[in-house]
Amino acid sequence: MAKLKEKLQKKIENWRPRTTRLLKDYGTVKVDEVTIQQVIGGMRGVKSLTTDISYLDPYEGIRFRGYTIPECLEKLPKVPGGEMPYVEGHIYLLLTGEIPSQEDVQEVLEEFKGRRKVPSYVFDVLRALPEDSHPMAMFSAAVLAMQKESVYVKKYNEGISKMDFWDPTYEDAVNLLVRLPEIAAYIYRMKYRNNEIIAPDPSLDLGGNFAHMMGIGEPYDDVARLYFLLHSDHESGNVSAHTGHLIASALSDMYYAISGLINGLAGPLHGLANQEVLRWIQGVMDKMGGKTPSEEEMKKFVWDTLNSGQVIPGFGHAVLRKTDPRYKAQRDFCLKYLPDDPIFQYVDMLYKVVPPILKEHGKAKNPWPNVDAQSGVIQWYYGVKEYDFYTVLFGVGRAIGVAANIVWDRALGYPIERPKSLTTDMLEEIAGIKK
Ligand code: NMX
Ligand code: MLT
């Protein structure tokens, strides 16, 4: 058994009694109460999911396995010659809760490399789709096409014990995660680079290989590593993570679950906001005819968008009440590598201009920028100007956290998810409006 899986098995065996005890001895202890506003309003804030992979504090932002983003960037083993950690090390952290050593990461790299080959029929599926399909539809279809590879389904059909479900689920998780960068790069090169596909380089790590297959030189390898790490997880209630968890709760396999999460991520209120930010900025640039807007002009563009009933993409959040630390990490990168980039100047001006306007507008509970406000500008700077593609990058990252969650869902035996719904009549009765 590979060392990572062995470590995971020990962690699972040690963790199980905690969940069993909570259920058995404290199962009826109240965690939360639910209001009508929450029932109608998208369950905002209802504490009704559990995960140990990450936790989102409204003021501090995300912690992966207890580590903040700066801590992860500092502590996780780095790729020689680069500044960013191995994505493989981050996968290790999310799965086991431990920061790996360089040696641990090298073992994981070796284990993962042998699993990277994408079946050729996946490329046939991508080629069979209409040329103008959105990259997210392509990405989701490619993942779904691989469902027949599921080790978990094979073992399930052979009749393995529920206690062992996590093991083939882990196999599916790793097999799928290590193939996603090649699928993503293939979609990009097929759609936007005259079909000139670049073969993977097996000697490279996951992030380095992605940059290589995209055909973009350094430091885009570090951009890829940073990007996949930052987008990997955001606790369990966001649309993509929740979708993945929900699908897997029916014991559907990893391929169904990850394909499904990609579909949820493709919404403009969620991951697609990163493409919307660039689309919005390009719209402003077109209207300005190449001239940089003054702050007053920028304020007018923001108000025009709000007054036409649209949201300002990249701002606001359902949980966060401060600037997203993922925004900050990417901003630090921009300040170091592209401080004079004109689009970065726009993004920075928006950081100044938008929050006071959203406060004055009086609707958004969080006026501060989220991860999506800052991510497109980096891609654009390194030549990935086809912003339709940006959410695919988010998806490669998000799959890592959701896959880790699903392995643990199976390890801890979480049941099928099935909340209860009520009718409007019933809510009116509860409210005392109607007998
Ligand atoms: N621009 C304008 N209005 C906003 C914004 C914004 N950026 N954010 C929230 N509002 C409005 C929201 O539409 C709602 O209006 P109404 O009462 O008319 O329905 C009101 O403010 C209250 O919403 P909140 O409770 O603050 O936010 P909610 O939790 O419902 O939604 C988002 C969170 C993230 C969906 C919302 O802030 C938004 O639409 N932001 C813009 C899109 C975006 O950046 N999404 C990416 C989120 C991060 N991600 O990657 O997933
Ligand atoms: C995410 O990364 O999933 C987004 O910030 C949305 C969320 O957490 O609700």
Side-chain angles (χ1 to χ4, degrees):
M1 191 189 276
K3 281 213 175 147
L4 168 58
K5 190 159 150 189
E6 214 173 289
K7 170 151 283 213
L8 185 56
Q9 181 168 22
K10 287 206 183 90
K11 295 270 169 190
I12 289 168
E13 280 161 9
N14 288 337
W15 205 276
R16 276 177 171 157
R18 295 176 65 185
T19 305
T20 309
R21 180 169 179 232
L22 279 170
L23 268 176
K24 195 166 158 278
D25 301 337
Y26 303 91
T28 54
V29 174
K30 259 195 195 170
V31 175
D32 213 346
E33 284 181 354
V34 182
T35 63
I36 288 181
Q37 200 175 36
Q38 289 171 313
V39 172
I40 297 176
M43 298 187 278
R44 202 73 79 257
V46 180
K47 299 185 187 84
S48 55
L49 291 164
T50 175
T51 175
D52 298 291
I53 310 291
S54 68
Y55 180 74
L56 181 62
D57 179 85
Y59 295 94
E60 186 192 53
I62 196 69
R63 276 182 186 256
F64 300 116
R65 288 291 193 174
Y67 296 100
T68 62
I69 289 169
E71 283 167 353
C72 287
L73 296 181
E74 188 214 313
K75 290 180 194 294
L76 284 168
K78 309 274 182 313
V79 181
E83 290 177 14
M84 294 297 160
Y86 284 101
V87 179
E88 289 85 343
H90 187 59
I91 296 176
Y92 185 108
L93 169 66
L94 294 191
L95 278 168
T96 66
E98 282 183 22
I99 300 274
S101 63
Q102 261 295 352
E103 198 193 340
D104 293 329
V105 172
Q106 292 314 316
E107 273 168 15
V108 172
L109 271 163
E110 279 317 303
E111 194 214 331
F112 284 11
K113 274 180 187 167
R115 300 171 182 247
R116 273 190 194 165
K117 191 157 175 44
V118 177
S120 62
Y121 63 78
V122 173
F123 305 124
D124 298 339
V125 167
L126 289 174
R127 293 189 174 283
L129 289 169
E131 267 180 32
D132 57 353
S133 299
H134 192 280
M136 285 298 272
M138 293 181 149
F139 194 39
S140 174
V143 171
L144 194 60
M146 287 191 288
Q147 186 277 332
K148 75 190 193 73
E149 308 292 329
S150 173
V151 181
Y152 160 81
V153 169
K154 193 163 164 278
K155 294 285 176 192
Y156 184 90
N157 291 339
E158 285 168 12
I160 55 162
S161 155
K162 202 175 166 177
M163 294 296 278
D164 297 328
F165 281 174
W166 71 270
D167 181 321
T169 303
Y170 165 87
E171 297 298 326
D172 283 353
V174 174
N175 289 342
L176 178 55
L177 290 180
V178 299
R179 290 171 189 173
L180 293 180
E182 184 175 349
I183 294 171
Y186 192 96
I187 292 172
Y188 183 75
R189 303 280 312 181
M190 179 180 80
K191 208 169 156 58
Y192 305 114
R193 288 291 177 273
N194 297 322
N195 223 345
E196 288 160 15
I197 307 299
I198 301 174
D201 179 344
S203 71
L204 296 172
D205 66 292
L206 215 133
N209 196 27
F210 178 71
H212 159 76
M213 291 182 287
M214 289 289 285
I216 309 174
E218 285 173 6
Y220 192 72
D221 50 350
D222 262 350
V223 170
R225 293 176 193 119
L226 175 68
Y227 210 90
F228 297 153
L229 184 152
L230 290 182
H231 290 85
S232 60
D233 210 33
H234 220 224
E235 67 172 39
S236 283
N238 65 76
V239 169
S240 51
H242 192 189
T243 305
H245 166 77
L246 176 66
I247 294 174
S249 85
L251 297 187
S252 297
D253 63 59
M254 190 63 77
Y255 296 86
Y256 283 122
I258 302 294
S259 173
L261 89 76
I262 293 167
N263 302 340
L265 194 64
L269 294 188
H270 192 19
L272 205 82
N274 60 13
Q275 115 170 19
E276 294 301 284
V277 170
L278 256 286
R279 199 160 69 95
W280 191 90
I281 290 176
Q282 288 298 314
V284 173
M285 284 179 134
D286 286 350
K287 282 179 201 143
M288 291 301 299
K291 195 175 121 282
T292 308
S294 64
E295 267 185 46
E296 286 314 305
E297 284 168 322
M298 190 62 113
K299 283 181 189 166
K300 187 172 172 324
F301 285 118
V302 173
W303 275 115
D304 286 350
T305 300
L306 290 173
N307 291 336
S308 65
Q310 295 167 57
V311 296
I312 306 298
F315 285 79
H317 201 274
V319 178
L320 283 166
R321 293 295 176 258
K322 277 270 179 194
T323 297
D324 191 334
R326 300 172 297 177
Y327 175 95
K328 170 118 189 3
Q330 294 183 104
R331 185 167 188 273
D332 290 347
F333 185 94
C334 290
L335 287 170
K336 180 161 181 193
Y337 287 98
L338 44 134
D340 302 322
D341 177 69
I343 300 188
F344 178 57
Q345 305 290 330
Y346 268 65
V347 168
D348 232 27
M349 193 188 285
L350 288 170
Y351 191 18
K352 214 169 153 191
V353 159
V354 174
I357 295 182
L358 283 179
K359 281 185 196 165
E360 191 183 332
H361 186 239
K363 275 190 171 184
K365 292 188 191 69
N366 177 37
W368 302 104
N370 60 60
V371 65
D372 296 319
Q374 189 67 252
S375 50
V377 58
I378 303 181
Q379 298 298 327
W380 186 279
Y381 182 79
Y382 290 106
V384 185
K385 297 188 175 172
E386 302 79 2
Y387 45 71
D388 281 13
F389 182 71
Y390 295 171
T391 316
V392 172
L393 300 168
F394 195 151
V396 174
R398 182 52 48 93
I400 295 171
V402 177
N405 268 286
I406 293 173
V407 172
W408 274 91
D409 289 352
R410 293 289 72 84
L412 299 177
Y414 292 161
I416 187 163
E417 194 176 298
R418 204 329 183 169
K420 181 81 189 79
S421 56
L422 298 172
T423 64
T424 306
D425 275 348
M426 288 168 183
L427 287 182
E428 284 170 347
E429 270 170 42
I430 292 168
I433 302 169
K434 199 171 164 182
K435 290 229 168 71

mmCIF file with all atom_site columns, all heavy atoms in Angstrom, residues 325-336:
data_model
loop_
_atom_site.group_PDB
_atom_site.id
_atom_site.type_symbol
_atom_site.label_atom_id
_atom_site.label_alt_id
_atom_site.label_comp_id
_atom_site.label_asym_id
_atom_site.label_entity_id
_atom_site.label_seq_id
_atom_site.pdbx_PDB_ins_code
_atom_site.Cartn_x
_atom_site.Cartn_y
_atom_site.Cartn_z
_atom_site.occupancy
_atom_site.B_iso_or_equiv
_atom_site.pdbx_formal_charge
_atom_site.auth_seq_id
_atom_site.auth_comp_id
_atom_site.auth_asym_id
_atom_site.auth_atom_id
_atom_site.pdbx_PDB_model_num
ATOM 1   N N   . PRO A 1 325 ? -8.889  36.343 1.873   1.00 0.00 ? 325 PRO A N   1
ATOM 2   C CA  . PRO A 1 325 ? -7.424  36.172 1.873   1.00 0.00 ? 325 PRO A CA  1
ATOM 3   C C   . PRO A 1 325 ? -6.903  35.548 0.569   1.00 0.00 ? 325 PRO A C   1
ATOM 4   O O   . PRO A 1 325 ? -5.735  35.699 0.245   1.00 0.00 ? 325 PRO A O   1
ATOM 5   C CB  . PRO A 1 325 ? -7.156  35.250 3.070   1.00 0.00 ? 325 PRO A CB  1
ATOM 6   C CG  . PRO A 1 325 ? -8.458  34.643 3.428   1.00 0.00 ? 325 PRO A CG  1
ATOM 7   C CD  . PRO A 1 325 ? -9.535  35.585 2.964   1.00 0.00 ? 325 PRO A CD  1
ATOM 8   N N   . ARG A 1 326 ? -7.787  34.888 -0.186  1.00 0.00 ? 326 ARG A N   1
ATOM 9   C CA  . ARG A 1 326 ? -7.362  34.360 -1.496  1.00 0.00 ? 326 ARG A CA  1
ATOM 10  C C   . ARG A 1 326 ? -7.153  35.529 -2.463  1.00 0.00 ? 326 ARG A C   1
ATOM 11  O O   . ARG A 1 326 ? -6.295  35.488 -3.344  1.00 0.00 ? 326 ARG A O   1
ATOM 12  C CB  . ARG A 1 326 ? -8.410  33.380 -2.036  1.00 0.00 ? 326 ARG A CB  1
ATOM 13  C CG  . ARG A 1 326 ? -8.641  32.182 -1.125  1.00 0.00 ? 326 ARG A CG  1
ATOM 14  C CD  . ARG A 1 326 ? -9.811  31.348 -1.583  1.00 0.00 ? 326 ARG A CD  1
ATOM 15  N NE  . ARG A 1 326 ? -11.071 32.089 -1.528  1.00 0.00 ? 326 ARG A NE  1
ATOM 16  C CZ  . ARG A 1 326 ? -12.239 31.607 -1.928  1.00 0.00 ? 326 ARG A CZ  1
ATOM 17  N NH1 . ARG A 1 326 ? -12.326 30.384 -2.418  1.00 0.00 ? 326 ARG A NH1 1
ATOM 18  N NH2 . ARG A 1 326 ? -13.340 32.340 -1.840  1.00 0.00 ? 326 ARG A NH2 1
ATOM 19  N N   . TYR A 1 327 ? -7.961  36.574 -2.303  1.00 0.00 ? 327 TYR A N   1
ATOM 20  C CA  . TYR A 1 327 ? -7.770  37.805 -3.091  1.00 0.00 ? 327 TYR A CA  1
ATOM 21  C C   . TYR A 1 327 ? -6.417  38.409 -2.721  1.00 0.00 ? 327 TYR A C   1
ATOM 22  O O   . TYR A 1 327 ? -5.634  38.786 -3.580  1.00 0.00 ? 327 TYR A O   1
ATOM 23  C CB  . TYR A 1 327 ? -8.919  38.775 -2.774  1.00 0.00 ? 327 TYR A CB  1
ATOM 24  C CG  . TYR A 1 327 ? -8.813  40.137 -3.426  1.00 0.00 ? 327 TYR A CG  1
ATOM 25  C CD1 . TYR A 1 327 ? -9.461  40.404 -4.624  1.00 0.00 ? 327 TYR A CD1 1
ATOM 26  C CD2 . TYR A 1 327 ? -8.073  41.173 -2.844  1.00 0.00 ? 327 TYR A CD2 1
ATOM 27  C CE1 . TYR A 1 327 ? -9.378  41.659 -5.232  1.00 0.00 ? 327 TYR A CE1 1
ATOM 28  C CE2 . TYR A 1 327 ? -7.976  42.418 -3.434  1.00 0.00 ? 327 TYR A CE2 1
ATOM 29  C CZ  . TYR A 1 327 ? -8.638  42.661 -4.626  1.00 0.00 ? 327 TYR A CZ  1
ATOM 30  O OH  . TYR A 1 327 ? -8.542  43.890 -5.223  1.00 0.00 ? 327 TYR A OH  1
ATOM 31  N N   . LYS A 1 328 ? -6.177  38.444 -1.425  1.00 0.00 ? 328 LYS A N   1
ATOM 32  C CA  . LYS A 1 328 ? -4.946  39.088 -0.925  1.00 0.00 ? 328 LYS A CA  1
ATOM 33  C C   . LYS A 1 328 ? -3.708  38.336 -1.449  1.00 0.00 ? 328 LYS A C   1
ATOM 34  O O   . LYS A 1 328 ? -2.740  38.965 -1.889  1.00 0.00 ? 328 LYS A O   1
ATOM 35  C CB  . LYS A 1 328 ? -5.018  39.090 0.610   1.00 0.00 ? 328 LYS A CB  1
ATOM 36  C CG  . LYS A 1 328 ? -3.789  39.474 1.315   1.00 0.00 ? 328 LYS A CG  1
ATOM 37  C CD  . LYS A 1 328 ? -3.961  40.720 2.142   1.00 0.00 ? 328 LYS A CD  1
ATOM 38  C CE  . LYS A 1 328 ? -2.678  41.279 2.701   1.00 0.00 ? 328 LYS A CE  1
ATOM 39  N NZ  . LYS A 1 328 ? -1.428  40.640 2.367   1.00 0.00 ? 328 LYS A NZ  1
ATOM 40  N N   . ALA A 1 329 ? -3.763  36.987 -1.403  1.00 0.00 ? 329 ALA A N   1
ATOM 41  C CA  . ALA A 1 329 ? -2.607  36.195 -1.861  1.00 0.00 ? 329 ALA A CA  1
ATOM 42  C C   . ALA A 1 329 ? -2.323  36.477 -3.336  1.00 0.00 ? 329 ALA A C   1
ATOM 43  O O   . ALA A 1 329 ? -1.160  36.608 -3.748  1.00 0.00 ? 329 ALA A O   1
ATOM 44  C CB  . ALA A 1 329 ? -2.862  34.710 -1.640  1.00 0.00 ? 329 ALA A CB  1
ATOM 45  N N   . GLN A 1 330 ? -3.379  36.606 -4.122  1.00 0.00 ? 330 GLN A N   1
ATOM 46  C CA  . GLN A 1 330 ? -3.173  36.874 -5.551  1.00 0.00 ? 330 GLN A CA  1
ATOM 47  C C   . GLN A 1 330 ? -2.745  38.317 -5.788  1.00 0.00 ? 330 GLN A C   1
ATOM 48  O O   . GLN A 1 330 ? -1.984  38.614 -6.701  1.00 0.00 ? 330 GLN A O   1
ATOM 49  C CB  . GLN A 1 330 ? -4.464  36.575 -6.327  1.00 0.00 ? 330 GLN A CB  1
ATOM 50  C CG  . GLN A 1 330 ? -4.826  35.100 -6.293  1.00 0.00 ? 330 GLN A CG  1
ATOM 51  C CD  . GLN A 1 330 ? -6.066  34.798 -7.114  1.00 0.00 ? 330 GLN A CD  1
ATOM 52  O OE1 . GLN A 1 330 ? -5.985  34.274 -8.210  1.00 0.00 ? 330 GLN A OE1 1
ATOM 53  N NE2 . GLN A 1 330 ? -7.216  35.144 -6.593  1.00 0.00 ? 330 GLN A NE2 1
ATOM 54  N N   . ARG A 1 331 ? -3.245  39.217 -4.937  1.00 0.00 ? 331 ARG A N   1
ATOM 55  C CA  . ARG A 1 331 ? -2.838  40.620 -5.060  1.00 0.00 ? 331 ARG A CA  1
ATOM 56  C C   . ARG A 1 331 ? -1.338  40.748 -4.778  1.00 0.00 ? 331 ARG A C   1
ATOM 57  O O   . ARG A 1 331 ? -0.622  41.463 -5.492  1.00 0.00 ? 331 ARG A O   1
ATOM 58  C CB  . ARG A 1 331 ? -3.642  41.483 -4.086  1.00 0.00 ? 331 ARG A CB  1
ATOM 59  C CG  . ARG A 1 331 ? -3.381  42.952 -4.237  1.00 0.00 ? 331 ARG A CG  1
ATOM 60  C CD  . ARG A 1 331 ? -4.398  43.797 -3.495  1.00 0.00 ? 331 ARG A CD  1
ATOM 61  N NE  . ARG A 1 331 ? -4.203  45.199 -3.851  1.00 0.00 ? 331 ARG A NE  1
ATOM 62  C CZ  . ARG A 1 331 ? -3.355  46.004 -3.240  1.00 0.00 ? 331 ARG A CZ  1
ATOM 63  N NH1 . ARG A 1 331 ? -2.626  45.557 -2.220  1.00 0.00 ? 331 ARG A NH1 1
ATOM 64  N NH2 . ARG A 1 331 ? -3.207  47.257 -3.642  1.00 0.00 ? 331 ARG A NH2 1
ATOM 65  N N   . ASP A 1 332 ? -0.870  40.028 -3.736  1.00 0.00 ? 332 ASP A N   1
ATOM 66  C CA  . ASP A 1 332 ? 0.570   40.054 -3.418  1.00 0.00 ? 332 ASP A CA  1
ATOM 67  C C   . ASP A 1 332 ? 1.372   39.575 -4.627  1.00 0.00 ? 332 ASP A C   1
ATOM 68  O O   . ASP A 1 332 ? 2.424   40.126 -4.942  1.00 0.00 ? 332 ASP A O   1
ATOM 69  C CB  . ASP A 1 332 ? 0.870   39.154 -2.208  1.00 0.00 ? 332 ASP A CB  1
ATOM 70  C CG  . ASP A 1 332 ? 0.321   39.746 -0.913  1.00 0.00 ? 332 ASP A CG  1
ATOM 71  O OD1 . ASP A 1 332 ? -0.060  40.936 -0.931  1.00 0.00 ? 332 ASP A OD1 1
ATOM 72  O OD2 . ASP A 1 332 ? 0.236   39.013 0.085   1.00 0.00 ? 332 ASP A OD2 1
ATOM 73  N N   . PHE A 1 333 ? 0.859   38.530 -5.284  1.00 0.00 ? 333 PHE A N   1
ATOM 74  C CA  . PHE A 1 333 ? 1.546   38.010 -6.477  1.00 0.00 ? 333 PHE A CA  1
ATOM 75  C C   . PHE A 1 333 ? 1.594   39.100 -7.558  1.00 0.00 ? 333 PHE A C   1
ATOM 76  O O   . PHE A 1 333 ? 2.635   39.330 -8.176  1.00 0.00 ? 333 PHE A O   1
ATOM 77  C CB  . PHE A 1 333 ? 0.809   36.764 -6.997  1.00 0.00 ? 333 PHE A CB  1
ATOM 78  C CG  . PHE A 1 333 ? 1.509   36.094 -8.138  1.00 0.00 ? 333 PHE A CG  1
ATOM 79  C CD1 . PHE A 1 333 ? 2.386   35.031 -7.916  1.00 0.00 ? 333 PHE A CD1 1
ATOM 80  C CD2 . PHE A 1 333 ? 1.332   36.542 -9.453  1.00 0.00 ? 333 PHE A CD2 1
ATOM 81  C CE1 . PHE A 1 333 ? 3.054   34.431 -8.975  1.00 0.00 ? 333 PHE A CE1 1
ATOM 82  C CE2 . PHE A 1 333 ? 1.997   35.949 -10.509 1.00 0.00 ? 333 PHE A CE2 1
ATOM 83  C CZ  . PHE A 1 333 ? 2.862   34.884 -10.271 1.00 0.00 ? 333 PHE A CZ  1
ATOM 84  N N   . CYS A 1 334 ? 0.457   39.772 -7.769  1.00 0.00 ? 334 CYS A N   1
ATOM 85  C CA  . CYS A 1 334 ? 0.401   40.821 -8.801  1.00 0.00 ? 334 CYS A CA  1
ATOM 86  C C   . CYS A 1 334 ? 1.361   41.959 -8.467  1.00 0.00 ? 334 CYS A C   1
ATOM 87  O O   . CYS A 1 334 ? 2.051   42.471 -9.355  1.00 0.00 ? 334 CYS A O   1
ATOM 88  C CB  . CYS A 1 334 ? -1.018  41.389 -8.913  1.00 0.00 ? 334 CYS A CB  1
ATOM 89  S SG  . CYS A 1 334 ? -2.199  40.243 -9.608  1.00 0.00 ? 334 CYS A SG  1
ATOM 90  N N   . LEU A 1 335 ? 1.394   42.349 -7.184  1.00 0.00 ? 335 LEU A N   1
ATOM 91  C CA  . LEU A 1 335 ? 2.279   43.460 -6.798  1.00 0.00 ? 335 LEU A CA  1
ATOM 92  C C   . LEU A 1 335 ? 3.736   43.108 -7.075  1.00 0.00 ? 335 LEU A C   1
ATOM 93  O O   . LEU A 1 335 ? 4.545   43.958 -7.423  1.00 0.00 ? 335 LEU A O   1
ATOM 94  C CB  . LEU A 1 335 ? 2.091   43.795 -5.314  1.00 0.00 ? 335 LEU A CB  1
ATOM 95  C CG  . LEU A 1 335 ? 0.780   44.518 -4.978  1.00 0.00 ? 335 LEU A CG  1
ATOM 96  C CD1 . LEU A 1 335 ? 0.564   44.599 -3.469  1.00 0.00 ? 335 LEU A CD1 1
ATOM 97  C CD2 . LEU A 1 335 ? 0.769   45.932 -5.591  1.00 0.00 ? 335 LEU A CD2 1
ATOM 98  N N   . LYS A 1 336 ? 4.052   41.810 -6.969  1.00 0.00 ? 336 LYS A N   1
ATOM 99  C CA  . LYS A 1 336 ? 5.428   41.390 -7.201  1.00 0.00 ? 336 LYS A CA  1
ATOM 100 C C   . LYS A 1 336 ? 5.733   41.249 -8.697  1.00 0.00 ? 336 LYS A C   1
ATOM 101 O O   . LYS A 1 336 ? 6.783   41.678 -9.168  1.00 0.00 ? 336 LYS A O   1
ATOM 102 C CB  . LYS A 1 336 ? 5.658   40.062 -6.484  1.00 0.00 ? 336 LYS A CB  1
ATOM 103 C CG  . LYS A 1 336 ? 7.040   39.538 -6.644  1.00 0.00 ? 336 LYS A CG  1
ATOM 104 C CD  . LYS A 1 336 ? 7.384   38.520 -5.599  1.00 0.00 ? 336 LYS A CD  1
ATOM 105 C CE  . LYS A 1 336 ? 8.813   38.051 -5.828  1.00 0.00 ? 336 LYS A CE  1
ATOM 106 N NZ  . LYS A 1 336 ? 9.124   36.878 -5.079  1.00 0.00 ? 336 LYS A NZ  1
#
